[in-house]
């Protein structure tokens, strides 16, 4: 029986294991090897040692631009997205009439694919016919202010992406809701007896109890934001003056526009190292502010 | 192990293994079931009405060539990327569609078959049957890699009604840059009086045409460095950039993002448009005003324009070269192209000169301009790293076009980048 179970275990797991080895782990290893080569797919790779990494550091001014754009977006979008998700989750955690409808309403944008979202927001941000300026236009006209050019303005283009990112806060909201509902009721009762108001309850009970969820959201958000691609591909490409040249978009261009697979692989490994470093740092810092119930 | 072999898992595993082997060893066959050579043509994405015409052409080919089995592979999305992936996967189609700027990269990737041997062996075709700039555009390193299908060069389309309404003299064959600028300035207007320009004189066109027209070059003769910092190139680019930032005769970025240049011409928001010939078939159907064709104005160093168009090429992995060449030859010559005259100008000279094309109803009065432009059309930049070079130059020059920097400043920054790209290419080869 034990043998049968073991066999079944490996058999049912095998599609995933085989799939992972063939389609994920294999290519991951291959990309590491490729990062030391000059490789265009069509011809045999040529070993160039650290040439690609050297070029990234010394010879490619667009790498810095892409990194700056990506960091700017990430460090604006992730905290805002997390805060907004938490705020909406707090509102939707109230026991009021029609709450399932509101929750569905806020979650709905999350089922829209990145590409569809890009197409939609490209229209919203169109300076002439887009929804954003159609709504803002009359107010700006009264104040005699110019209409924002959104994606066509190198200064506003990245904040426009941050705004778009807020639209899909439903995923974070659902996770925060689950976290909020896991906060024991007796803690609020105790706080109430101690005379804590709403803000004090949030600060001293709710937030500490959901810090693991906040940490999870920040970590996943950071990893996702560093890899922003689909929306950029659809909405603005490199953007005016390379203002929306995000790191993964540039990596894609190197791989599939210029067919520089070696260079693109090196970029991918640098990104991996960067995300890993930031994540490790976050885990180190997490000890100072994340509270795990039951942990010592 | 014996238990495992006897178990009921064996059959599905065996089926999976057979499928995997079939997939791994599959690919295109050389002959069909009747023993006829197979020719796979990868057709680029095109709108349904045009596809209908092409289907008629393919049917005609099959009817007249019963000994060849033509299979059409409809490619959707990004044609070039998909074909490159097929080439890399060793399942390339036999015949492929080729754009001018892509040719050098394809040749360097060793993905194309030279047509020279077939051209020498086939008495039905000579390179002189095609417009010379078109054949040159699809040749590289002294070898012909594609037979040109449609011939195009950048030409001017202008709104006769608007010229008449604002009392502007229509373009003449001897027009220069300044004549064009004068006319564009007279046509640029705020027609509804809201304080914002809503009619522009002209659409912008490729900056390198201005460089050539002023005697400049994109790359040096030996292609070892970018030549845009040379005085003639800088002067030309300053004129080009000023059309937008100084004279304001070309639409703003916002207006462009709103409609696109073709739509702006159709909506009468721009008076002169600079496009390639296939746009004629669009304007014929959509423009509700009188319009005509004209030559691109000449620059200080003379007249020139840029060759565009497309060709049919054979992939290196082609299995039936003779049959594939026959398809390429047939489609680009009179039998194939005669069905496309309503939408494209043929590269096959005798067909372009024929009454069937020139006297086709519905064409603008100066329809000969398209054919005449072949006399002074110049080859586009052919370099295997074309995309990288243009990606380094275009955003920088657009910055100058917006007036955020001077042409000289932007080139001081962009030219060294291009030189590094060229240097990397040299080092690799």
């Amino acid at each position: 029986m034990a043998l049968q179970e073991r066999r079944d275990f490996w058999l049912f797991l095998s599609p995933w294991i085989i799939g992972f080895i063939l389609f994920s782990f294999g290519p991951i290893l291959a990309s590491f090897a490729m990062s030391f080569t000059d490789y265009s797919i069509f011809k045999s790779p040529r070993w160039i040692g650290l040439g690609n990494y050297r070029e990234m550091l010394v010879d490619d001014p667009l790498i810095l631009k892409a990194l700056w754009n990506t960091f700017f977006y990430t460090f604006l979008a992730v905290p805002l997205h997390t805060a907004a998700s938490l705020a909406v989750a707090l509102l939707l955690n109230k026991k009021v009439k029609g709450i399932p409808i509101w929750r569905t309403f806020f979650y709905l944008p999350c089922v829209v694919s990145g590409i569809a979202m890009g197409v939609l927001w490209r229209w919203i941000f169109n300076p002439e016919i887009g929804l954003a300026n159609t709504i803002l236009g009359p107010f700006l006209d009264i104040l005699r202010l110019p209409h924002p050019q959104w994606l066509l303005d190198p200064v506003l283009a990245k904040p426009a992406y941050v705004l778009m990112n807020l639209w899909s806060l439903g995923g974070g909201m659902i996770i925060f809701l689950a976290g909020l509902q896991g906060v024991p009721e007796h803690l609020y009762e105790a706080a109430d007896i101690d005379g804590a108001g709403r803000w004090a309850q949030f600060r001293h009970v709710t937030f500490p109890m959901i810090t693991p969820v906040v940490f999870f959201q920040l970590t996943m958000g950071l990893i996702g934001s560093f890899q922003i691609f689909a929306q950029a591909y659809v909405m603005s490409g490199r953007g005016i003056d390379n203002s929306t040249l995000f790191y993964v978009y540039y990596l894609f261009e190197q791989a599939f526009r210029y067919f520089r697979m070696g260079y693109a692989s090196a970029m991918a490994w640098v990104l991996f190292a960067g995300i890993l470093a930031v994540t490790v740092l976050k885990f180190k810092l997490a000890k100072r502010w994340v509270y795990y119930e039951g942990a010592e | 192990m014996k238990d495992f072999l006897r178990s009921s898992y064996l059959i599905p595993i065996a089926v999976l293994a057979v499928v995997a082997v079939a997939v791994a060893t599959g690919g295109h066959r050389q002959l069909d079931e009747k023993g006829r050579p197979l020719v796979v043509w990868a057709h680029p994405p095109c709108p349904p009405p045009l596809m209908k015409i092409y289907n008629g052409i393919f049917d005609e080919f099959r009817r007249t060539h019963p000994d060849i089995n033509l299979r059409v592979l409809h490619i959707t999305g990004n044609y070039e990327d998909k074909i490159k992936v097929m080439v890399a996967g060793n399942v390339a189609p036999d015949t492929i569609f080729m754009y001018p700027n892509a040719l050098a990269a394809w040749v360097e990737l060793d993905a194309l078959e030279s047509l020279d041997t077939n051209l020498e062996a086939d008495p039905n075709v000579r390179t002189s049957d095609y417009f010379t700039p078109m054949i040159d555009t699809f040749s590289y390193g002294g070898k012909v890699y594609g037979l040109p299908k449609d011939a195009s060069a950048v030409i001017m389309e202008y709104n006769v009604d608007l010229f008449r309404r604002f009392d502007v003299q229509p373009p003449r064959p001897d027009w220069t840059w300044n004549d064009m600028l004068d006319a564009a300035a007279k046509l640029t207007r705020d027609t509804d009086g809201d304080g914002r320009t809503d009619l522009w004189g002209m659409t912008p066109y490729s900056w390198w045409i201005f460089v050539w027209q002023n005697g400049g070059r994109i790359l040096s003769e030996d292609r070892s460095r970018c030549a845009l910092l040379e005085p003639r190139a800088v002067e030309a680019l300053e004129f080009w950039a000023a059309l937008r930032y100084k004279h304001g005769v070309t639409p703003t970025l916002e207006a462009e993002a709103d409609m696109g240049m073709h739509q702006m011409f159709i909506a009468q928001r721009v008076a002169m448009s600079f496009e390639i010939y296939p746009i004629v078939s669009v304007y014929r159907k959509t423009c509700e005003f009188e319009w005509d064709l004209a030559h691109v104005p000449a620059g200080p160093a003379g007249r020139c324009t840029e060759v565009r168009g497309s060709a049919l090429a054979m992939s290196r992995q082609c299995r039936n070269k003779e049959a594939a060449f026959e398809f390429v030859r047939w489609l680009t010559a009179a039998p194939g192209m005669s069905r496309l005259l309503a939408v494209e100008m043929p590269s096959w000279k005798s067909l372009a000169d024929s009454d069937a094309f020139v006297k086709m109803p519905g064409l603008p009065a100066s329809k000969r301009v398209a054919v005449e432009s072949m006399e002074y059309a110049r080859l586009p930049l052919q370099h295997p790293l074309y995309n990288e070079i243009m990606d380094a130059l275009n955003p920088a020059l657009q910055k100058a076009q917006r007036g955020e920097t001077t042409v000289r400043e932007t080139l001081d920054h962009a030219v060294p980048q291009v030189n590094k790209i060229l240097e990397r290419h040299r080092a690799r080869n």
Side-chain angles (χ1 to χ4, degrees):
Chain A
M1 191 60 193
L3 176 70
Q4 174 80 28
E5 272 184 10
R6 262 206 307 278
R7 204 173 61 194
D8 287 354
F9 170 78
W10 286 110
L11 194 72
F12 282 105
L13 209 59
S14 61
W16 185 86
I17 293 175
I18 294 168
F20 176 74
I21 291 171
L22 284 180
F23 301 117
S24 294
F25 191 65
I28 286 170
L29 282 185
S31 80
F32 186 65
M34 251 191 263
S35 73
F36 301 104
T37 65
D38 179 7
Y39 180 45
S40 70
I41 294 188
F42 303 91
K43 290 182 176 174
S44 306
R46 190 171 59 90
W47 181 264
I48 54 166
L50 292 170
N52 288 323
Y53 293 95
R54 195 184 307 115
E55 187 181 335
M56 279 180 74
L57 283 173
V58 184
D59 271 348
D60 190 348
L62 285 181
I63 283 283
L64 270 183
K65 181 85 180 169
L67 277 173
W68 161 247
N69 288 341
T70 310
F71 273 98
F72 183 98
Y73 169 76
T74 298
F75 288 107
L76 211 61
V78 175
L80 269 177
H81 190 270
T82 308
S85 306
L86 177 59
V88 174
L90 284 168
L91 288 173
L92 297 180
N93 198 30
K94 302 287 174 200
K95 291 182 178 67
V96 291
K97 214 175 174 183
I99 205 75
I101 295 169
W102 284 108
R103 286 176 185 171
T104 311
F105 177 76
F106 275 99
Y107 187 73
L108 219 51
C110 288
V111 300
V112 178
S113 78
I115 296 289
M117 197 159 105
V119 172
L120 177 70
W121 281 86
R122 191 177 57 187
W123 167 72
I124 290 174
F125 286 134
N126 184 303
E128 294 277 317
I129 54 164
L131 185 68
N133 279 7
T134 306
I135 293 170
L136 290 174
F139 300 105
L140 294 169
D141 288 343
I142 292 167
L143 298 168
R144 293 175 184 273
L145 288 171
H147 291 199
Q149 299 303 303
W150 302 110
L151 299 170
L152 299 177
D153 182 341
V155 178
L156 272 185
K158 285 185 283 290
Y161 273 85
V162 174
L163 268 181
M164 178 188 70
N165 182 258
L166 284 178
W167 190 60
S168 58
L169 49 75
M173 173 206 78
I174 289 283
I175 295 170
F176 273 125
L177 260 179
L180 289 171
Q181 288 175 4
V183 180
E185 200 59 36
H186 66 263
L187 294 179
Y188 290 113
E189 284 167 12
D192 214 16
I193 291 165
D194 287 345
R198 280 189 178 182
W199 170 244
Q201 283 188 12
F202 174 76
R203 199 179 149 200
H204 298 292
V205 178
T206 311
F207 193 76
M209 292 302 288
I210 61 163
T211 45
V213 183
V214 176
F215 180 65
F216 172 78
Q217 287 283 78
L218 285 175
T219 306
M220 298 309 286
L222 211 74
I223 293 170
S225 296
F226 273 129
Q227 298 176 64
I228 178 171
F229 169 71
Q231 295 92 326
Y233 183 75
V234 176
M235 280 169 68
S236 57
R238 288 182 168 205
I240 301 290
D241 200 15
N242 292 316
S243 57
T244 57
L245 179 72
F246 294 112
Y247 192 86
V248 175
Y249 181 82
Y250 189 43
L251 187 158
F252 169 82
E253 278 196 341
Q254 291 292 342
F256 296 102
R257 184 166 161 80
Y258 309 148
F259 282 85
R260 299 187 67 201
M261 292 295 166
Y263 192 68
S265 298
M267 283 182 71
W269 278 92
V270 168
L271 177 67
F272 171 72
I275 292 178
L276 187 70
V278 172
T279 308
V280 168
L281 184 72
K282 280 181 69 219
F283 268 93
K284 294 265 183 212
L285 293 174
K287 287 175 188 163
R288 297 186 187 176
W289 65 277
V290 179
Y291 167 74
Y292 289 101
E293 203 177 5
E296 286 181 14
Chain B
M1 190 64 188
K2 276 182 184 172
D3 285 349
F4 184 75
L5 289 175
R6 273 191 226 114
S7 74
S8 55
Y9 301 127
L10 197 60
I11 293 171
I13 287 171
V15 170
L16 278 174
V18 169
V19 171
V21 169
V23 168
T25 58
H28 299 309
R29 289 175 298 153
Q30 194 165 1
L31 302 174
D32 71 359
E33 52 283 354
K34 291 180 187 166
R36 295 179 301 172
L38 267 168
V39 173
V40 177
W41 155 243
H43 195 76
C46 71
L50 188 56
M51 197 61 241
K52 205 174 159 189
I53 299 173
Y54 272 110
N55 283 335
I57 294 173
F58 301 145
D59 288 344
E60 178 68 10
F61 180 81
R62 290 181 184 114
R63 196 183 62 75
T64 54
H65 296 78
D67 52 336
I68 297 174
N69 185 345
L70 173 69
R71 289 202 179 157
V72 180
L73 195 64
H74 294 274
I75 306 288
T76 53
N78 190 320
Y79 184 83
E80 204 180 326
D81 286 357
K82 289 191 179 175
I83 300 294
K84 277 184 177 168
V85 172
M86 291 172 85
V87 172
N90 212 23
V91 287
D94 301 296
T95 52
I96 50 183
F97 194 75
M98 191 53 54
Y99 299 98
N101 302 126
L103 186 86
W106 282 84
V107 173
E108 191 170 272
L109 294 171
D110 208 15
L112 296 184
E113 181 72 28
S114 160
L115 304 181
D116 288 347
T117 314
N118 299 83
L119 279 165
E120 278 167 26
D122 194 327
N124 296 317
V125 62
R126 288 160 303 171
T127 50
S128 57
D129 292 330
Y130 300 89
F131 286 117
T132 308
M134 297 306 302
I135 278 286
D136 291 348
T137 296
F138 294 102
S139 302
Y140 192 72
K143 291 179 177 175
V144 178
Y145 285 96
L147 289 188
K149 186 174 72 71
D150 57 302
S152 313
V154 176
I155 49 175
M156 184 203 292
E157 304 82 36
Y158 68 99
N159 185 322
V160 177
D161 285 356
L162 285 175
F163 271 74
R164 211 176 278 140
R165 192 194 314 165
F166 297 113
D167 201 22
V168 181
Q169 287 297 308
R172 294 181 314 271
D174 61 347
W175 252 27
T176 61
W177 286 357
N178 286 332
D179 295 322
M180 173 180 73
L181 176 58
D182 284 347
K186 285 176 190 161
L187 290 157
T188 300
R189 284 162 189 263
D190 167 19
T191 57
D192 60 7
D194 69 349
R196 291 163 71 181
T197 302
D198 48 27
L199 168 65
W200 286 270
M202 58 182 284
T203 61
Y205 57 98
S206 310
W207 52 260
W208 49 90
I209 299 181
F210 286 86
V211 171
W212 295 337
Q213 289 176 338
N214 203 37
R217 293 175 299 198
I218 304 174
L219 300 184
S220 60
E221 196 82 55
D222 61 358
R223 298 153 70 83
S224 64
R225 61 179 181 82
C226 179
L228 289 179
L229 278 169
E230 288 171 9
R232 283 175 178 276
V234 173
E235 192 183 65
L237 289 168
E238 275 167 355
F239 181 85
W240 168 82
L243 288 173
R244 175 171 277 165
Y245 85 84
K246 187 175 167 189
H247 306 295
V249 295
T250 63
T252 56
L253 280 177
E254 305 88 75
E256 201 179 322
D258 177 12
M259 291 187 104
M261 293 303 175
H262 304 161
Q263 288 302 321
M264 290 189 79
F265 186 76
I266 293 165
Q268 304 203 62
R269 289 185 64 187
V270 69
M272 288 180 274
S273 151
F274 293 86
E275 292 289 343
I276 54 173
Y277 186 80
I279 200 67
V280 167
S281 69
V282 178
Y283 289 170
R284 270 173 70 192
K285 288 180 197 154
T286 49
C287 290
E288 293 172 342
F289 51 85
E290 191 185 338
W291 60 280
D292 203 358
L293 301 177
H295 293 283
V296 169
R303 184 190 306 284
C304 82
T305 186
E306 186 191 15
V307 172
R308 303 271 175 89
S310 65
L312 266 68
M314 273 160 51
S315 78
R316 191 80 160 169
Q317 295 162 25
C318 177
R319 292 134 308 165
N320 294 300
K321 292 193 170 67
E322 265 179 47
F325 183 78
E326 174 55 16
F327 173 68
V328 169
R329 184 203 65 79
W330 185 89
L331 201 147
T332 57
M337 284 306 292
S338 56
R339 287 175 179 242
L340 286 164
L341 295 183
V343 282
E344 292 172 351
M345 181 170 94
S347 288
W348 190 262
K349 278 193 297 192
S350 59
L351 193 58
D353 284 329
S354 69
D355 286 355
F357 178 69
V358 180
K359 292 187 178 170
M360 195 167 42
L363 286 180
S366 307
K367 53 205 162 198
R368 293 284 312 170
V369 163
V371 179
E372 287 162 10
S373 68
M374 283 292 122
E375 289 165 18
Y376 57 86
R378 187 171 168 161
L379 310 195
L381 174 66
Q382 286 181 318
H383 195 283
L385 301 187
Y386 176 87
N387 284 342
E388 280 186 73
I389 293 168
M390 286 302 164
D391 285 349
L393 292 172
N394 283 333
L397 287 167
Q398 280 160 8
K399 219 171 163 179
Q401 201 185 21
R402 294 193 302 275
E404 292 166 12
T405 176
T406 65
V407 166
R408 169 65 71 170
E409 280 167 2
T410 208
L411 288 175
D412 280 341
H413 181 68
V415 167
Q417 279 182 47
V418 176
N419 288 340
K420 273 183 191 167
I421 294 168
L422 297 171
E423 199 181 306
R424 173 159 47 78
H425 181 250
R426 274 201 310 279
R428 192 201 291 169
N429 295 286

